[in-house]
Amino acid sequence: MKKEKVIVIGAGLCGLYTAFLLQKKGIEVLILEANTRIGGRIKTITGTTAVTMEMGATWFGNQHRHLLEVLHILELPYFRQHTKGISLFETMSFVPPQKFEISDSKEPSFRIVGGTATLIEKLVSEIGLQHIKTQTKIIAIKEQNNQLIVTDSSGSSYSADKVISTIPPNLLVNSVIFEPKLPDNFTQLAKKTHTWMGESIKFAVEYKTPFWKQNNYSGTLFSQASIIQEMYDHSTADNSGFALKGFLNGGTAVLSFEERKEKVIAQLTTFFGPEASDYVAYYESVWREEPLTFQPYEQLVLAHQNNGHSLFKTPLLNEKLYVSGAETANQNPGYMDGAIFAAKTIASQF
Ligand SMILES: Cc1cc2nc3c(=O)[nH]c(=O)nc-3n(C[C@H](O)[C@H](O)[C@H](O)COP(=O)(O)OP(=O)(O)OC[C@H]3O[C@@H](n4cnc5c(N)ncnc54)[C@H](O)[C@@H]3O)c2cc1C
């Protein structure tokens, strides 16, 4: 059995930044990640043209000061979301959408140059890939002789003095067996803790040209009547790659990929004209079908419910198990900023 001082479960933003901070303190860390992919809810895909598209986390603002601080430390540039031009708001399917313009004075939202995954890539290069073990799904955590024994789905075990889980709380208590059992009040709380964006469907349509901008549209669209509920221009910072990207109505998870794609292209063609049907590729991520993010709730849980709850502050299993992740932060929980804040909170206790 391998012996590690600290094990971090999950190589999303919170797990990676926690490891980064602990390493700076000279602490030996091993990150165990179930997926083949590193990044968790940060998932940037690259198109066949020069465009990168965010299937997960994208935007942040000036209020997200913990994230901004990290971008500054890691020297990662960011840019303002494009909103200039005519935006559309569709209230009813049988009435044309209302046109409006977003004022420049509105508090801006930003995107990371090159895509949010550059933040993940930079952290991985700082931590060292050798400290991250992917395809390692943790299924059990057991307290034994003042250590925690962490077991993965292949039966391999790892021993640590302390374990920091960054698995979203509802998923954690539904997918990992603890010995001894975690306190009932904690388990009940975790089951009622919302995983931010877990139910969402993100889509992106890649184009050769930004025809919407050429026709004086911003690419921003809100709809209460069609499949696309919210959408923005997703051109790269240097305007070399072009896409439209946003969220689909969550109810369309029951449709097939092809059915959703057809409806998206039809809606875009109605709003922006026939050029919208001349796309390079259509992409989507149905997050409720991602078992390493989403776990159905036992009862109705509202957006952000119990995020940042005070019970997440107390380590469990005789102060050896820390439950972390964006949802546990008491500043901007659920967001990238929350993931950073949670990492800072836990790392400060070491
Ligand atoms: C569609 C979408 C859009 C979003 N948009 C924004 C946005 O615009 N702005 C913003 O600030 N935030 C946004 N977010 C939220 C943001 O992505 C999260 O706050 C942040 O990425 C969470 O990081 P985390 O490390 O806490 O959790 P996660 O990224 O969920 O990381 C948890 C990790 O644990 C791993 N894991 C799960 N189970 C196991 C197991 N049993 N064993 C080992 N590993 C396991 C997972 O694979 C994952 O890598 C969005 C999220 C989604 C899904």
Side-chain angles (χ1 to χ4, degrees):
M1 198 187 308
K2 279 221 233 118
K3 216 165 184 188
E4 300 290 338
K5 187 134 175 53
V6 176
I7 284 177
V8 171
I9 307 175
L13 180 57
C14 185
L16 294 172
Y17 197 61
T18 306
F20 173 82
L21 293 176
L22 293 179
Q23 281 185 342
K24 290 252 173 289
K25 292 187 171 198
I27 296 168
E28 197 186 324
V29 190
L30 174 66
I31 305 179
L32 301 176
E33 165 59 52
N35 214 335
T36 47
R37 184 178 66 78
I38 293 174
R41 278 173 278 169
I42 292 177
K43 183 180 172 194
T44 309
I45 56 171
T46 305
T48 53
T49 62
V51 71
T52 52
M53 290 158 284
E54 306 299 349
M55 295 291 114
T58 311
W59 299 282
F60 50 94
N62 284 320
Q63 73 277 26
H64 293 150
R65 58 186 185 85
H66 303 287
L67 176 65
L68 291 172
E69 180 193 86
V70 171
L71 297 179
H72 180 72
I73 295 170
L74 299 176
E75 298 178 350
L76 293 173
Y78 53 91
F79 66 109
R80 203 179 163 132
Q81 168 65 45
H82 173 86
T83 52
K84 280 201 177 59
I86 302 163
S87 298
L88 300 173
F89 179 38
E90 185 192 40
T91 50
M92 286 170 280
S93 58
F94 48 88
V95 197
Q98 295 165 22
K99 296 181 174 178
F100 66 102
E101 292 208 27
I102 296 167
S103 156
D104 253 3
S105 62
K106 196 181 169 287
E107 188 60 23
S109 59
F110 303 110
R111 292 164 48 199
I112 298 174
V113 173
T116 318
T118 57
L119 171 57
I120 296 297
E121 287 153 16
K122 192 73 190 259
L123 284 173
V124 170
S125 75
E126 294 278 336
I127 295 163
L129 200 51
Q130 69 278 20
H131 299 294
I132 307 169
K133 196 164 184 291
T134 54
Q135 299 180 73
T136 306
K137 183 171 188 240
I138 303 313
I139 55 163
I141 300 177
K142 183 179 174 182
E143 191 182 17
Q144 190 178 293
N145 303 331
N146 211 26
Q147 292 273 301
L148 289 183
I149 312 298
V150 175
T151 305
D152 71 19
S153 53
S154 74
S156 298
S157 291
Y158 306 82
S159 164
D161 298 320
K162 310 255 176 176
V163 171
I164 302 165
S165 165
T166 67
I167 303 173
N170 179 46
L171 178 61
L172 173 72
V173 297
N174 278 292
S175 56
V176 178
I177 294 166
F178 293 92
E179 196 184 327
K181 280 200 167 89
L182 298 184
D184 201 45
N185 62 342
F186 178 87
T187 307
Q188 291 313 318
L189 170 78
K191 286 183 178 176
K192 290 183 214 133
T193 300
H194 185 250
T195 303
W196 183 234
M197 290 285 171
E199 298 92 340
S200 68
I201 309 176
K202 264 261 176 111
F203 80 98
V205 189
E206 182 182 2
Y207 288 100
K208 281 201 193 91
T209 58
F211 61 88
W212 55 96
K213 288 204 251 188
Q214 289 155 2
N215 297 332
N216 197 29
Y217 283 106
S218 63
T220 305
L221 161 69
F222 300 105
S223 172
Q224 295 171 342
S226 305
I227 183 164
I228 302 173
Q229 284 192 323
E230 194 180 332
M231 186 183 81
Y232 303 89
D233 168 80
H234 207 59
S235 307
T236 56
D238 63 359
N239 259 310
S240 61
F242 312 102
L244 289 168
K245 191 213 69 169
F247 298 91
L248 301 185
N249 181 313
T252 63
V254 296
L255 302 180
S256 68
F257 172 91
E258 284 302 329
E259 286 168 325
R260 281 190 294 267
K261 174 177 158 180
E262 198 178 301
K263 287 183 189 298
V264 166
I265 302 301
Q267 188 181 350
L268 293 177
T269 307
T270 306
F271 289 174
F272 298 112
E275 285 160 295
S277 60
D278 187 19
Y279 59 95
V280 177
Y282 169 85
Y283 308 88
E284 59 171 39
S285 278
V286 182
W287 283 90
R288 63 163 64 241
E289 290 171 5
E290 295 286 340
L292 296 173
T293 298
F294 185 73
Q295 162 77 33
Y297 303 99
E298 282 177 9
Q299 59 188 70
L300 181 70
V301 168
L302 302 175
H304 288 302
Q305 188 170 324
N306 288 322
N307 283 190
H309 194 282
S310 59
L311 259 193
F312 292 123
K313 283 194 195 137
T314 314
L316 303 163
L317 300 180
N318 291 311
E319 310 206 334
K320 289 192 284 292
L321 173 70
Y322 295 77
V323 175
S324 186
E327 277 65 28
T328 68
N330 47 19
Q331 287 187 25
N332 294 314
Y335 297 93
M336 292 187 279
D337 193 66
I340 298 288
F341 184 78
K344 285 166 81 167
T345 306
I346 303 284
S348 69
Q349 296 170 49
F350 281 77

Coordinates of all heavy atoms in Angstrom, one line a residue, residues 9-15 32-35 39-42 55-60 64 136-138 166-168 171 175-176 196-197 200 202 247 287 292-293 325-327 334-337 339, ligand 1:
I9 N -9.2 14.3 -3.4 CA -10.1 13.5 -4.3 C -10.7 14.5 -5.2 O -11.5 15.4 -4.8 CB -11.1 12.7 -3.6 CG1 -10.4 11.8 -2.5 CG2 -11.9 11.8 -4.6 CD1 -11.4 11.0 -1.7
G10 N -10.5 14.3 -6.5 CA -11.1 15.2 -7.6 C -10.1 16.2 -8.1 O -9.4 17.0 -7.4
A11 N -9.9 16.2 -9.4 CA -9.0 17.1 -10.1 C -9.7 18.2 -10.9 O -9.5 18.4 -12.0 CB -8.0 16.3 -11.0
G12 N -10.7 18.7 -10.2 CA -11.4 19.9 -10.7 C -10.6 21.1 -10.2 O -9.5 21.0 -9.7
L13 N -11.2 22.3 -10.4 CA -10.5 23.5 -10.0 C -10.1 23.5 -8.5 O -9.0 23.9 -8.1 CB -11.3 24.8 -10.4 CG -10.8 26.1 -10.0 CD1 -9.4 26.3 -10.7 CD2 -11.7 27.2 -10.4
C14 N -11.1 23.1 -7.7 CA -10.9 23.2 -6.2 C -9.7 22.2 -5.8 O -8.8 22.6 -5.1 CB -12.1 22.8 -5.5 SG -12.0 23.0 -3.7
G15 N -9.8 21.0 -6.3 CA -8.8 20.0 -6.0 C -7.4 20.4 -6.5 O -6.4 20.3 -5.7
L32 N -6.4 12.1 -6.6 CA -7.0 11.0 -7.3 C -8.3 11.4 -8.0 O -9.2 12.0 -7.4 CB -7.4 9.9 -6.2 CG -6.2 9.4 -5.4 CD1 -6.7 8.5 -4.3 CD2 -5.1 8.7 -6.3
E33 N -8.3 11.2 -9.3 CA -9.4 11.7 -10.1 C -10.1 10.5 -10.9 O -9.4 9.7 -11.5 CB -8.9 12.7 -11.1 CG -9.8 13.0 -12.3 CD -11.2 13.6 -11.9 OE1 -11.2 14.6 -11.1 OE2 -12.2 13.1 -12.4
A34 N -11.4 10.4 -10.8 CA -12.1 9.3 -11.4 C -12.1 9.3 -12.9 O -12.0 8.3 -13.6 CB -13.5 9.3 -10.9
N35 N -12.1 10.5 -13.5 CA -12.3 10.7 -14.9 C -11.0 10.4 -15.7 O -9.9 10.5 -15.1 CB -12.8 12.1 -15.2 CG -13.7 12.2 -16.4 OD1 -13.7 11.4 -17.3 ND2 -14.5 13.2 -16.4
G39 N -10.2 18.4 -14.8 CA -10.9 19.7 -15.0 C -12.3 19.7 -14.4 O -12.8 20.8 -14.1
G40 N -12.9 18.6 -14.2 CA -14.2 18.5 -13.7 C -15.2 19.3 -14.5 O -15.4 19.2 -15.7
R41 N -15.9 20.3 -13.8 CA -16.9 21.1 -14.5 C -16.2 22.2 -15.3 O -17.0 23.1 -15.8 CB -17.9 21.7 -13.4 CG -18.9 20.7 -13.0 CD -19.8 21.2 -11.9 NE -19.2 21.0 -10.6 CZ -19.6 21.5 -9.5 NH1 -20.6 22.3 -9.5 NH2 -18.9 21.3 -8.3
I42 N -14.9 22.2 -15.5 CA -14.3 23.1 -16.4 C -13.9 22.2 -17.6 O -13.2 21.2 -17.5 CB -13.1 23.8 -15.9 CG1 -13.5 24.8 -14.8 CG2 -12.2 24.5 -17.0 CD1 -12.4 25.5 -14.1
M55 N -17.9 24.1 -22.4 CA -19.0 23.2 -22.2 C -19.4 23.3 -20.7 O -20.3 22.8 -20.2 CB -18.7 21.8 -22.6 CG -18.6 21.7 -24.1 SD -20.2 21.9 -24.9 CE -19.8 23.4 -25.8
G56 N -18.4 23.9 -19.9 CA -18.7 24.1 -18.5 C -18.4 25.6 -18.1 O -18.9 26.4 -18.8
A57 N -17.7 25.8 -17.0 CA -17.5 27.2 -16.5 C -16.9 28.1 -17.5 O -16.0 27.7 -18.3 CB -16.6 27.1 -15.3
T58 N -17.4 29.3 -17.6 CA -17.0 30.3 -18.6 C -16.8 31.7 -18.0 O -15.7 32.2 -18.2 CB -18.2 30.5 -19.6 OG1 -18.6 29.2 -20.1 CG2 -17.7 31.3 -20.8
W59 N -17.8 32.3 -17.4 CA -17.7 33.7 -17.0 C -17.4 34.0 -15.6 O -17.7 33.2 -14.7 CB -19.1 34.4 -17.4 CG -19.5 34.3 -18.8 CD1 -19.0 35.0 -19.8 CD2 -20.4 33.4 -19.4 NE1 -19.6 34.7 -21.0 CE2 -20.4 33.6 -20.8 CE3 -21.2 32.4 -18.9 CZ2 -21.3 32.9 -21.6 CZ3 -22.0 31.7 -19.7 CH2 -22.0 31.9 -21.1
F60 N -16.9 35.2 -15.3 CA -16.7 35.7 -14.0 C -16.7 37.2 -14.0 O -16.6 37.8 -15.1 CB -15.3 35.1 -13.4 CG -14.2 35.3 -14.3 CD1 -13.4 36.4 -14.2 CD2 -13.9 34.4 -15.3 CE1 -12.3 36.6 -15.1 CE2 -12.8 34.6 -16.2 CZ -12.0 35.7 -16.1
H64 N -15.6 38.4 -8.3 CA -14.9 37.1 -8.1 C -13.4 37.3 -7.8 O -12.6 36.9 -8.5 CB -15.1 36.2 -9.3 CG -16.6 35.8 -9.4 ND1 -17.2 35.5 -10.6 CD2 -17.6 35.7 -8.5 CE1 -18.4 35.2 -10.4 NE2 -18.7 35.3 -9.1
T136 N -9.2 6.9 -11.5 CA -9.2 6.4 -10.1 C -10.4 6.8 -9.4 O -10.4 7.9 -8.7 CB -7.9 6.8 -9.4 OG1 -6.8 6.5 -10.3 CG2 -7.7 6.2 -8.1
K137 N -11.4 6.0 -9.4 CA -12.7 6.4 -8.8 C -12.8 5.9 -7.4 O -12.8 4.7 -7.2 CB -13.9 5.8 -9.7 CG -15.2 6.2 -9.2 CD -16.3 5.8 -10.1 CE -17.6 6.4 -9.6 NZ -18.6 5.4 -9.2
I138 N -12.9 6.8 -6.5 CA -12.9 6.4 -5.1 C -14.3 5.9 -4.7 O -15.3 6.6 -5.0 CB -12.5 7.6 -4.2 CG1 -11.1 8.1 -4.6 CG2 -12.6 7.3 -2.7 CD1 -10.1 7.0 -4.8
T166 N -13.2 16.8 -2.9 CA -13.8 17.9 -3.7 C -14.9 17.4 -4.5 O -15.4 18.1 -5.4 CB -12.7 18.7 -4.5 OG1 -12.3 17.8 -5.6 CG2 -11.6 19.1 -3.7
I167 N -15.4 16.2 -4.2 CA -16.6 15.6 -5.0 C -17.8 16.4 -4.5 O -17.9 16.7 -3.3 CB -16.8 14.1 -4.6 CG1 -15.5 13.3 -4.9 CG2 -18.0 13.6 -5.3 CD1 -15.6 11.9 -4.5
P168 N -18.6 16.9 -5.4 CA -19.8 17.6 -4.9 C -20.6 16.9 -3.8 O -20.7 15.6 -4.0 CB -20.7 17.8 -6.2 CG -19.7 17.7 -7.3 CD -18.6 16.8 -6.9
L171 N -23.1 14.1 -4.4 CA -22.5 12.9 -5.1 C -21.6 12.1 -4.2 O -21.6 10.9 -4.1 CB -21.7 13.4 -6.3 CG -21.0 12.4 -7.2 CD1 -22.0 11.4 -7.8 CD2 -20.2 13.0 -8.3
S175 N -22.0 8.1 -3.4 CA -21.1 7.3 -4.2 C -19.9 6.7 -3.4 O -19.2 5.8 -3.9 CB -20.6 8.0 -5.4 OG -20.0 9.2 -5.1
V176 N -19.7 7.2 -2.2 CA -18.6 6.7 -1.4 C -19.1 6.2 -0.1 O -19.9 6.8 0.6 CB -17.6 7.9 -1.1 CG1 -16.4 7.4 -0.3 CG2 -17.0 8.5 -2.5
W196 N -24.0 23.0 -8.4 CA -24.3 24.1 -9.3 C -24.1 23.7 -10.8 O -23.1 23.2 -11.1 CB -23.4 25.3 -9.0 CG -23.6 26.6 -9.8 CD1 -22.7 27.2 -10.5 CD2 -24.8 27.3 -10.0 NE1 -23.3 28.3 -11.1 CE2 -24.6 28.4 -10.8 CE3 -26.1 27.1 -9.5 CZ2 -25.6 29.3 -11.2 CZ3 -27.1 28.0 -9.8 CH2 -26.8 29.0 -10.7
M197 N -25.2 24.0 -11.5 CA -25.2 23.7 -13.0 C -25.3 22.2 -13.3 O -25.2 21.9 -14.5 CB -24.0 24.3 -13.7 CG -24.0 25.8 -13.7 SD -25.2 26.3 -14.9 CE -25.3 28.0 -14.6
S200 N -27.8 21.4 -16.1 CA -27.8 22.2 -17.3 C -27.3 21.5 -18.5 O -26.6 20.5 -18.5 CB -26.9 23.4 -17.1 OG -25.5 23.0 -17.0
K202 N -25.4 22.5 -22.0 CA -24.7 23.6 -22.7 C -24.6 23.2 -24.1 O -24.4 22.0 -24.4 CB -23.2 23.6 -22.1 CG -23.0 24.7 -21.0 CD -22.4 26.0 -21.7 CE -22.3 27.1 -20.7 NZ -20.9 27.4 -20.4
F247 N -27.1 28.0 -23.2 CA -27.8 26.9 -22.4 C -29.1 26.6 -23.1 O -29.9 27.5 -23.6 CB -28.2 27.5 -21.0 CG -26.9 27.8 -20.2 CD1 -26.4 29.1 -20.2 CD2 -26.3 26.8 -19.5 CE1 -25.3 29.4 -19.5 CE2 -25.2 27.2 -18.7 CZ -24.7 28.4 -18.7
W287 N -25.2 17.9 -18.7 CA -24.4 17.6 -17.4 C -25.2 16.7 -16.5 O -24.5 16.0 -15.7 CB -24.1 19.0 -16.7 CG -22.9 19.6 -17.4 CD1 -23.0 20.5 -18.5 CD2 -21.5 19.4 -17.2 NE1 -21.7 20.8 -18.9 CE2 -20.8 20.1 -18.1 CE3 -20.9 18.6 -16.2 CZ2 -19.4 20.1 -18.1 CZ3 -19.5 18.6 -16.2 CH2 -18.8 19.4 -17.2
L292 N -20.0 11.8 -12.8 CA -19.0 12.3 -11.9 C -19.3 13.7 -11.5 O -18.4 14.4 -10.8 CB -17.6 12.2 -12.6 CG -17.2 10.7 -12.9 CD1 -15.9 10.7 -13.7 CD2 -17.0 9.9 -11.6
T293 N -20.4 14.2 -11.9 CA -20.9 15.6 -11.4 C -22.2 15.5 -10.8 O -22.4 15.9 -9.7 CB -21.0 16.6 -12.6 OG1 -19.7 16.7 -13.2 CG2 -21.5 17.9 -12.2
G325 N -14.7 21.6 -2.1 CA -15.4 21.8 -3.4 C -16.2 23.1 -3.4 O -16.5 23.7 -2.4
A326 N -16.5 23.6 -4.7 CA -17.1 24.9 -4.8 C -18.4 25.0 -4.0 O -18.7 26.1 -3.4 CB -17.5 25.1 -6.3
E327 N -19.1 24.0 -3.8 CA -20.4 24.0 -3.1 C -20.3 24.3 -1.6 O -21.2 24.6 -0.9 CB -21.3 22.8 -3.3 CG -22.0 22.7 -4.6 CD -21.2 22.7 -5.9 OE1 -20.0 22.2 -5.8 OE2 -21.6 23.3 -6.9
G334 N -20.5 27.5 -5.5 CA -21.0 26.9 -6.8 C -20.1 27.4 -7.9 O -20.1 26.8 -9.0
Y335 N -19.5 28.6 -7.8 CA -18.8 29.2 -8.9 C -17.3 28.9 -8.8 O -16.8 28.4 -7.8 CB -19.0 30.7 -8.9 CG -20.4 31.1 -9.1 CD1 -21.3 31.3 -8.0 CD2 -20.9 31.2 -10.4 CE1 -22.6 31.6 -8.2 CE2 -22.3 31.6 -10.6 CZ -23.1 31.8 -9.5 OH -24.4 32.1 -9.7
M336 N -16.6 29.2 -9.9 CA -15.1 29.0 -9.9 C -14.5 29.8 -8.7 O -13.6 29.3 -8.0 CB -14.5 29.5 -11.2 CG -14.9 28.7 -12.4 SD -14.0 29.2 -13.8 CE -14.9 30.6 -14.4
D337 N -15.0 31.0 -8.4 CA -14.5 31.8 -7.3 C -14.7 31.0 -6.0 O -13.8 31.0 -5.1 CB -15.3 33.1 -7.2 CG -14.6 34.1 -6.3 OD1 -13.5 34.5 -6.6 OD2 -15.2 34.4 -5.3
A339 N -14.8 27.7 -5.7 CA -13.9 26.6 -5.7 C -12.5 27.0 -5.2 O -11.9 26.3 -4.5 CB -13.8 26.0 -7.2
Ligands
LIG1 C1 -22.4 24.0 -17.5 C2 -21.7 24.7 -16.4 C3 -21.5 26.1 -16.5 C4 -20.9 26.7 -15.5 N1 -20.6 28.1 -15.7 C5 -19.9 28.7 -14.8 C6 -19.5 30.1 -15.0 O1 -19.8 30.7 -16.1 N2 -18.8 30.7 -14.1 C7 -18.4 30.1 -12.9 O2 -17.8 30.7 -12.1 N3 -18.8 28.8 -12.7 C8 -19.5 28.1 -13.6 N4 -19.8 26.8 -13.4 C9 -19.4 26.2 -12.1 C10 -17.9 25.8 -12.1 O3 -17.7 24.9 -13.1 C11 -17.6 25.1 -10.7 O4 -17.8 26.0 -9.7 C12 -16.2 24.6 -10.6 O5 -15.6 24.1 -11.8 C13 -16.3 23.5 -9.5 O6 -15.0 23.0 -9.3 P1 -14.8 21.9 -8.2 O7 -13.4 21.4 -8.2 O8 -15.3 22.3 -6.9 O9 -15.8 20.7 -8.6 P2 -15.7 19.8 -9.9 O10 -15.2 20.6 -11.1 O11 -17.1 19.1 -10.1 O12 -14.6 18.7 -9.6 C14 -14.9 17.5 -8.9 C15 -14.0 16.4 -9.5 O13 -14.2 15.2 -8.7 C16 -14.2 14.1 -9.6 N5 -14.9 13.0 -9.0 C17 -16.2 12.8 -8.8 N6 -16.4 11.7 -8.2 C18 -15.2 11.1 -7.9 C19 -14.8 9.9 -7.3 N7 -15.7 9.0 -6.7 N8 -13.4 9.6 -7.2 C20 -12.5 10.5 -7.7 N9 -12.9 11.6 -8.4 C21 -14.2 12.0 -8.4 C22 -14.9 14.7 -10.9 O14 -14.6 13.9 -12.0 C23 -14.3 16.1 -10.9 O15 -13.1 16.2 -11.7 C24 -20.4 26.1 -14.4 C25 -20.6 24.7 -14.3 C26 -21.2 24.0 -15.3 C27 -21.4 22.5 -15.2

